[in-house]
Amino acid sequence: MSPEAAAAGERPGGVDLGTSVPSLRRRMACFVYEGVLLFGVLMISGWLFSTLTQQRHALVGRHGLQGFLFLVLAIYFVWFWSHGGQTVAMKAWHIRLVDRNGAPVTQARAFARYLLCWLWFAPALAALYLSGLRSGLEVTVLLLAGVVGYAMLALSNRERQFWHDLACGTRLVTWRPPPRR
């Protein structure tokens, strides 16, 4: 790191922790883009599971499929977050995951973050389970309300980070690769 970057408060890797928090709008756009990309990953994974287990009916073995997809998502996120700090969507939106000090995230910390990221959906899923709502529109509205509500909680803390990041000791920062010379 150059002396100029150190004087400006930057950490190794070009992360300035003082002013580099991406806006909530940008983080949510990245969230949506990640969902679009993961649709393909989960479709191929679901096909692979049903082919390998010779699943003939969607409800037969559904808990095994859910566990398999949970594992596929864990591998996807933990690998990307611990190897460069960015998923494909995060690269597109110039967002990087680092620890509190701006250093790369370990696999253990990435796994803890993956587990705590399910807090986005837990309240809405619990409400769906307890209320007995089953129609597609009701499920969609409740899940969207839960995600938006959880995202708005980031505005309640000083650093504008999500709660799961605060609990894991991680942070999302704006990061652009250094220019090529």
Side-chain angles (χ1 to χ4, degrees):
M1 176 170 44
S2 69
E4 297 83 19
E10 289 187 12
R11 300 287 194 264
V15 177
D16 177 5
L17 294 178
T19 60
S20 63
V21 177
S23 70
L24 184 58
R25 176 180 284 176
R26 214 163 102 227
R27 288 183 281 170
M28 293 308 294
C30 181
F31 179 85
V32 170
Y33 185 42
E34 194 79 68
V36 170
L37 295 174
L38 286 176
F39 180 79
V41 171
L42 294 178
M43 285 293 292
I44 292 170
S45 299
W47 172 80
L48 180 64
F49 179 86
S50 65
T51 300
L52 292 175
T53 61
Q54 297 186 7
Q55 182 181 11
R56 300 286 182 239
H57 189 279
L59 296 179
V60 174
R62 79 171 191 243
H63 297 299
L65 174 61
Q66 290 169 343
F68 179 72
L69 294 179
F70 185 81
L71 182 63
V72 166
L73 289 173
I75 292 168
Y76 173 87
F77 283 111
V78 170
W79 193 88
F80 276 110
W81 288 339
S82 63
H83 291 85
Q86 294 176 298
T87 63
V88 175
M90 292 169 78
K91 285 181 183 182
W93 286 93
H94 302 289
I95 297 172
R96 177 175 250 166
L97 181 70
V98 295
D99 71 6
R100 282 190 182 119
N101 300 318
V105 176
T106 65
Q107 284 188 341
R109 192 175 299 251
F111 184 68
R113 184 178 194 268
Y114 169 74
L115 292 176
L116 287 177
C117 279
W118 286 96
L119 289 175
W120 281 91
F121 305 104
L125 292 174
L128 283 171
Y129 179 77
L130 295 174
S131 68
L133 298 175
R134 297 290 180 258
S135 82
L137 180 62
E138 294 168 336
V139 170
T140 301
V141 168
L142 198 52
L143 280 173
L144 283 174
V147 167
V148 169
Y150 186 83
M152 297 305 286
L153 290 174
L155 301 176
S156 68
N157 71 58
R158 181 175 48 90
E159 296 180 9
R160 300 286 191 242
Q161 295 294 327
F162 296 123
W163 284 16
H164 57 271
D165 285 313
L166 294 172
C168 293
T170 57
R171 33 185 310 123
L172 293 174
V173 296
T174 298
W175 186 84
R176 296 186 187 279
R180 295 182 185 191
R181 296 186 191 250

